[in-house]
Amino acid sequence: GHRLTGLTVSGGAVTGVEAESPNGRCLLSADTVILAPGHSARDTFAMLREAGVPMEKKKFAVGVRVEHRQRDISLSQYGPAWEKLPPSDYKLACHLPDGRSAFTFCVCPGGQVVAAASEQGGVVTNGMSLRARDGENINGGLLVGVGPEDFPGDDALSGVRFQEQWERAAFRLGGGSFRAPAQRVEDFLRNRPSEGSGAVAPTYRPGVVWTGLSPCLPGYVTGALCQALPLLDRKLRGFAAPDAVLTGVETRSSSPVRILRDEKYQSLLRGLYPCGEGAGYAGGIVSAAVDGIRVAEAVASSM
């Protein structure tokens, strides 16, 4: 119920944090602050920039969620014994002639595509599985790497604006009601809008709008995905199945910002320890946890 709104600083070192709570504004004194904001804390990134905390834009990846029937992927991976084995997952990647790469990320066997927007006017997708992994479909992020050269402007938050641009485009394409734009793989590869689902029923809620995805992704991303799908299908038969569903957009693969720190894990603002995925030093749950351990050790050794 509290929100970080500012830092108090004296002599180049942090002396506390300002926060808003249900009972109003409060000030917490501290000479050590571990800052683990998460990769979508855009208000925090803006506050840190205004406070003069050094940061830079960084690479991440954008794309879609790709959804198949779980039985088809398990059959392709396991063969006829698939029903006797746990739901299969996959991990695929390819390098393309233009130097970009496409890869799968955060694959969710027996799972569902979920809404992950954190602000009004944008559509963002993600994926999850329940513990039983017994859903009809499997989904995963199908992403293309992007970097600072792709972002509008030169400041540290240009990657944030890049994300916002395509999230808002997806919101408009979905009709402005947080429904997500979706397209069958066959139609995507033929550059024609989809009019409905085939064998794969999309799991995204509150629902999808069948359309073409090109208005809500950069042309070089849709082009890379068109090249990648047939290549990935060679590695996993059925990955580019005509009725597989692409749901857009996935833009939050990792943080668009890196909050700079030294070899002792501190910012130039002494006492501030940027940590985890939102600070730009991890790319998922496990790596963020490892970074948290390292930062905790650094704090302990400084005392």
Side-chain angles (χ1 to χ4, degrees):
H2 290 64
R3 184 170 71 91
L4 177 69
T5 57
L7 301 173
T8 57
V9 178
S10 178
V14 65
T15 59
V17 298
E18 299 174 355
E20 288 182 2
S21 74
N23 298 319
R25 181 176 172 273
C26 61
L27 177 63
L28 304 174
S29 297
D31 58 9
T32 301
V33 175
I34 298 175
L35 182 70
H39 69 29
S40 296
R42 292 170 175 170
D43 57 342
T44 301
F45 296 152
M47 178 274 291
L48 293 170
R49 182 181 63 174
E50 292 301 314
V53 174
M55 62 180 67
E56 64 183 9
K57 52 191 173 182
K58 62 175 278 291
K59 296 179 179 179
F60 56 100
V62 299
V64 296
R65 277 272 145 183
V66 59
E67 200 163 13
H68 304 84
R69 293 192 304 178
Q70 179 66 59
R71 60 173 294 157
D72 295 338
I73 296 299
S74 291
L75 176 62
S76 183
Q77 294 278 58
Y78 296 144
W82 71 271
E83 291 183 281
K84 301 178 182 179
L85 296 167
S88 169
D89 62 5
Y90 54 79
K91 185 176 182 180
L92 305 171
C94 65
H95 297 283
L96 303 171
D98 65 358
R100 293 192 186 270
S101 61
F103 61 97
T104 61
F105 176 79
C106 184
V107 176
C108 304
Q112 62 198 72
V113 179
V114 297
S118 58
E119 55 195 54
Q120 290 291 332
V123 162
V124 184
T125 62
N126 205 334
M128 61 168 283
S129 299
L130 299 178
R131 181 175 181 273
R133 295 186 166 189
D134 59 355
E136 182 74 18
N137 290 356
I138 177 174
N139 75 83
L142 178 57
L143 308 178
V144 175
V146 295
E149 65 278 5
D150 299 310
F151 307 155
D154 296 323
D155 68 286
L157 300 188
S158 59
V160 172
R161 292 195 297 274
F162 178 87
Q163 291 175 325
E164 290 173 337
Q165 174 185 352
W166 302 111
E167 292 165 11
R168 290 168 180 163
F171 184 80
R172 293 191 298 269
L173 196 58
S177 60
F178 289 102
R179 294 167 71 89
Q183 190 173 15
R184 294 169 58 248
V185 164
E186 179 181 42
D187 295 330
F188 180 77
L189 293 175
R190 295 186 179 184
N191 195 28
R192 67 188 183 195
S194 291
E195 297 181 355
S197 65
V200 182
T203 57
Y204 178 91
R205 295 293 179 267
V208 303
V209 171
W210 294 102
T211 182
L213 292 174
S214 59
C216 63
L217 287 167
Y220 51 82
V221 171
T222 55
L225 293 177
C226 283
Q227 293 179 67
L229 279 161
L231 297 176
L232 299 179
D233 192 76
R234 297 177 192 173
K235 300 183 179 187
L236 177 58
R237 187 183 299 274
F239 190 79
D243 285 343
V245 175
L246 304 177
T247 306
V249 289
E250 176 141 354
T251 50
R252 311 282 184 92
S253 58
S254 67
S255 179
V257 169
R258 178 173 290 112
I259 304 168
L260 300 182
R261 67 189 189 190
D262 62 20
E263 68 280 358
K264 295 183 179 180
Y265 298 90
Q266 285 194 69
S267 167
L268 184 63
L269 176 61
R270 309 316 288 169
L272 183 68
Y273 290 79
C275 178
E277 190 162 352
Y281 295 97
I285 296 168
V286 173
S287 57
V290 170
D291 195 62
I293 292 170
R294 291 171 175 165
V295 168
E297 291 174 341
V299 171
S301 67
S302 70
M303 293 181 173

